[in-house]
Amino acid sequence: MNELQKKTAGILSRYAGKLFAIGVSGGRDSMCLLHAVINCGAVTRGDILCVHVNHRLRPDADSDQEFVRLFCEKNNVPFRAYTVDVKADSAKNGLTIEQAARNLRYGIFYDLIKSGAADLILTAHHALDNAETVLMHLFRGAGLDGLCGIKSGGDGRVVRPFLSVMPSELDRYAAEFGVDYVVDKTNFMDDADRNFIRLNVIPLIEERYAGVVRSVNALAAECDDTCKFLDGAVDRSLISFDRGAVIVKDEALSAALAARYVRKALEYYTLVDITREQIERVVALKSGRVGAHIELSNGVVAAREYGKIALHIPRPICNAVVPVKIGANFIDGLSVRILESTASPRSAVGRFVDLDKLDGSELRFRRDGDIFTPFGGKTKKLKQYFIDSKIPGRLRDRIPLICRGNEVLVIVGYQIADSVKQTKGTTKRGEVFLPW
């Protein structure tokens, strides 16, 4: 058995009984991986699924797909092909073509896992890919995590058997076993960052420092070990969730590991390409005023709140208006329930209403000019009520309001207006609540 096949067998034997989805483009790396997997003896053909994602970016994209399909047909390997519109996704989400292609590709892989068609993903990333990633992160201003490069085990769902393999080893493997593959001519164009580093930067460095790829890979492994050690010092209780946001408490941002806490919080937004500069800006929010915020990658916003930083992706403002009725009222995915109740108003002051006083009211979200007279209080602008009640800015556009004109009768989930409270003359008692 070839050494590369032995290495592949040793890695895959750790995952006995698992189903593997192998990402295969048709190029040298992925074709060698597919060949090594089906010939290493660690898995059967029934354990693998060859997955080809057609990005439709090149004139020969369809012929590449057919090349992989025919190989799988000849070798009795299950095959699935998917077509994605990378250019449209890139334009829609403000991503580079490379970023959009990667997101769409991994979205397909993860959907296969969710559906039960696969347990793990296999990709053909090798040592040069890893070195390129480390350098690219370094030049963009990454911190220690960026210098870890490509993780050998990915996020637990991705396995990369070739991560320590040099491209020259793959050339020898393809020649030894007669593995045919297609050549992507765009790999020789240095317009993309990764290609620029591969074609220009690394060869130039190698002229002076031989073995630079292995040296960078060794650095990445050491950084990975260091990051794992630091992760062990993180107190996860200082990171929590609150109505669509990831919260980092001030105690975390006061520690020497402040940047690490922010990075761990941002792991929940898996598509965020975060730089060291952005991390530092988030940490700096601790010293800012309440309400201060910054925009990060992929639509994520970091905002200063009371004693914490909130990381979230804002939703578009909803201008819907819904006539209020007894029962369930739906607005922008939220269910506001208004139910008759026999409970004494003393059991929950400020929560129970006189239902007759809600006649003709509407359910909507806040608008400029809204006013509110809290239960037992004085009239004020709704904005001022939110400020006085320390309600975070990220929530204010998502709090349903029961209104009549610009008068707010109920801030659902928080407080009722004095004008709709129950009195001795109340004949129809009710409760308004929002299951968060």
Side-chain angles (χ1 to χ4, degrees), residues 164-391:
S164 63
V165 176
M166 297 292 288
S168 58
E169 296 177 74
L170 296 176
D171 285 333
R172 290 195 295 272
Y173 185 90
E176 178 180 350
F177 291 97
V179 179
D180 290 330
Y181 55 87
V182 299
V183 177
D184 181 355
K185 295 179 181 178
T186 62
N187 286 337
F188 303 100
M189 301 170 60
D190 63 5
D191 51 342
D193 289 346
R194 182 176 294 277
N195 285 4
F196 179 81
I197 291 172
R198 179 191 305 133
L199 299 174
N200 300 295
V201 177
I202 291 180
L204 184 63
I205 297 174
E206 283 183 324
E207 290 180 8
R208 180 65 63 93
Y209 303 101
V212 64
V213 171
R214 292 198 184 280
S215 296
V216 173
N217 274 262
L219 171 65
E222 186 173 339
C223 289
D224 189 41
D225 288 340
T226 302
C227 285
K228 289 176 181 175
F229 175 80
L230 293 175
D231 286 344
V234 169
D235 181 356
R236 291 281 183 167
S237 69
L238 298 180
I239 302 174
S240 60
F241 296 91
D242 177 48
R243 288 166 283 186
V246 182
I247 303 298
V248 184
K249 296 181 180 178
D250 274 0
E251 299 95 300
L253 298 172
S254 301
L257 294 176
R260 187 136 217 90
Y261 277 98
V262 174
R263 281 194 178 276
K264 302 312 288 184
L266 282 168
E267 285 182 357
Y268 296 100
Y269 299 102
T270 55
L271 300 183
V272 174
D273 184 12
I274 193 75
T275 66
R276 182 173 55 204
E277 179 186 1
Q278 289 178 325
I279 292 286
E280 291 171 350
R281 292 174 64 204
V282 175
V283 174
L285 280 175
K286 181 180 181 297
S287 302
R289 61 174 177 78
V290 171
H293 63 277
I294 58 172
E295 294 184 4
L296 304 174
S297 304
N298 292 8
V300 175
V301 170
R304 177 67 178 152
E305 296 185 357
Y306 302 92
K308 57 185 177 288
I309 301 295
L311 302 159
H312 69 292
I313 298 178
R315 288 174 61 103
I317 295 175
C318 175
N319 295 313
V321 177
V322 179
V324 167
K325 65 179 181 180
I326 303 297
N329 298 260
F330 299 98
I331 184 167
D332 198 29
L334 298 175
S335 173
V336 176
R337 298 187 179 278
I338 303 176
L339 304 177
E340 291 191 49
S341 173
T342 58
S344 166
R346 294 180 179 275
S347 64
V349 175
R351 175 171 147 192
F352 291 91
V353 299
D354 183 329
L355 290 179
D356 289 330
K357 295 177 181 178
L358 296 185
D359 286 349
S361 61
E362 298 175 326
L363 182 67
R364 60 171 174 82
F365 296 101
R366 68 168 175 166
R367 295 175 182 166
D368 290 339
D370 284 341
I371 58 173
F372 181 60
T373 307
F375 182 90
K378 297 181 179 180
T379 301
K380 61 180 69 177
K381 292 181 179 179
L382 178 65
K383 179 180 179 180
Q384 190 60 50
Y385 173 84
F386 283 156
I387 294 172
D388 294 345
S389 301
K390 297 185 177 181
I391 296 174

